[in-house]
Amino acid sequence: EGRIRIGVPSRHVRKQKNVHDRIMATIITAHIAPVVASRAQLATSRPLSYSRASSSTSATSKLASYKPCTRQISRVVCAADGSKGFAAGPSKKGNKRVNISSPADIPKGWENAGKVEEYDAQPRKPIISPYTKEAFMVFMFEGKFYATEANGTAFKYPLVDAVISNGEKGPVITVPLDGTSYDLTTGEVLEWCPTDNFVRGIIGGLKKKTAPVALKVFQTKVASDNTVIFKGQRE
């Protein structure tokens, strides 16, 4: 009696852990979850591209400008195929062009992402497929187009506000909420849930034991009539 059993947490330690868990849950519920929900609602309420038979609606709202990330990230945490390794160098060429005279000629399995000129004022656009109802994001960065799934893979935070910058091996897309960075060309995870500020320190701890998940990216082309198309998930 009175001896402490080794390996069994004391009542005080268990109580502290319960308090810590409750605090984290309160912070996430009160501050983080509403932000994610509001950004998801905003992403789906902005002008979208739908059918191949009609041209997409021009976007009118202005996006907030971001200060480019100055960190040069090259190490790949998780490759798009689930393996570990290093990203291949980016192509210096623009998107491949295909001969299409009208949106109705877009091949099966490809999605209409609007006209090239629409991206001059707003270099990113959320897209919802009329076929699969899947959500995507299309970005124009330094004259080239990239298509990804609509949300980050750590906390499903919408990429409509993602920061795109130049990395050592090509464009890098970073999720504002959790700071996860991906190779925009391949979808490889470059940095998974860094804990570099207060909020990320909390939510990053929740993913500490979770394996990084690569971002889905899709092939993009520019048609002869300046329509941007990408290969969706519909066969």
Side-chain angles (χ1 to χ4, degrees):
E1 184 177 353
R3 291 180 298 177
I4 298 176
R5 290 178 291 176
I6 298 176
V8 179
S10 65
R11 183 180 303 174
H12 177 67
V13 172
R14 291 196 299 270
K15 184 177 180 180
Q16 281 187 326
K17 184 178 185 302
N18 291 336
V19 171
H20 177 266
D21 291 344
R22 287 198 298 270
I23 291 175
M24 289 187 64
T26 300
I27 292 175
I28 292 172
T29 302
H31 299 285
I32 298 174
V35 173
V36 174
S38 65
R39 299 312 303 157
Q41 183 178 9
L42 177 60
T44 55
S45 65
R46 288 180 176 172
L48 304 175
S49 292
Y50 286 98
S51 175
R52 289 183 288 161
S54 61
S55 60
S56 60
T57 305
S58 175
T60 56
S61 60
K62 298 292 184 180
L63 288 171
S65 59
Y66 295 95
K67 182 179 179 181
C69 175
T70 57
R71 285 186 299 171
Q72 297 296 303
I73 305 171
S74 61
R75 187 170 65 86
V76 173
V77 178
C78 175
D81 60 0
S83 63
K84 303 292 181 69
F86 289 84
S91 171
K92 299 299 182 182
K93 299 180 180 179
N95 297 91
K96 183 177 180 181
R97 300 188 74 88
V98 292
N99 292 321
I100 293 177
S101 58
S102 70
D105 297 331
I106 296 175
K108 182 179 179 181
W110 291 76
E111 304 285 352
N112 184 349
K115 296 290 188 178
V116 170
E117 50 269 25
E118 295 175 17
Y119 291 83
D120 291 336
Q122 178 177 308
R124 58 187 70 197
K125 180 186 290 187
I127 307 289
I128 295 180
S129 169
Y131 312 106
T132 65
K133 306 306 178 184
E134 293 286 336
F136 305 90
M137 282 297 302
V138 176
F139 303 92
M140 183 180 72
F141 182 70
E142 296 188 344
K144 188 173 181 179
F145 290 92
Y146 303 86
T148 72
E149 56 185 303
N151 304 315
T153 59
F155 292 94
K156 298 302 179 184
Y157 190 83
L159 295 178
V160 67
D161 289 324
V163 179
I164 302 178
S165 59
N166 276 312
E168 290 181 350
K169 295 182 179 295
V172 174
I173 183 168
T174 303
V175 184
L177 175 68
D178 52 76
T180 297
S181 297
Y182 309 91
D183 184 310
L184 187 56
T185 304
T186 66
E188 295 163 319
V189 177
L190 304 178
E191 189 172 20
W192 180 252
C193 296
T195 55
D196 52 2
N197 61 39
F198 176 73
V199 173
R200 290 178 181 176
I202 295 174
I203 63 177
L206 300 177
K207 294 291 182 176
K208 187 175 181 180
K209 296 182 179 179
T210 303
V213 179
L215 185 70
K216 292 179 181 178
V217 296
F218 306 93
Q219 182 183 3
T220 58
K221 295 181 180 180
V222 177
S224 54
D225 66 345
N226 272 357
T227 298
V228 180
I229 62 175
F230 65 94
K231 185 73 165 67
Q233 303 186 80
R234 183 177 70 99
E235 298 298 332

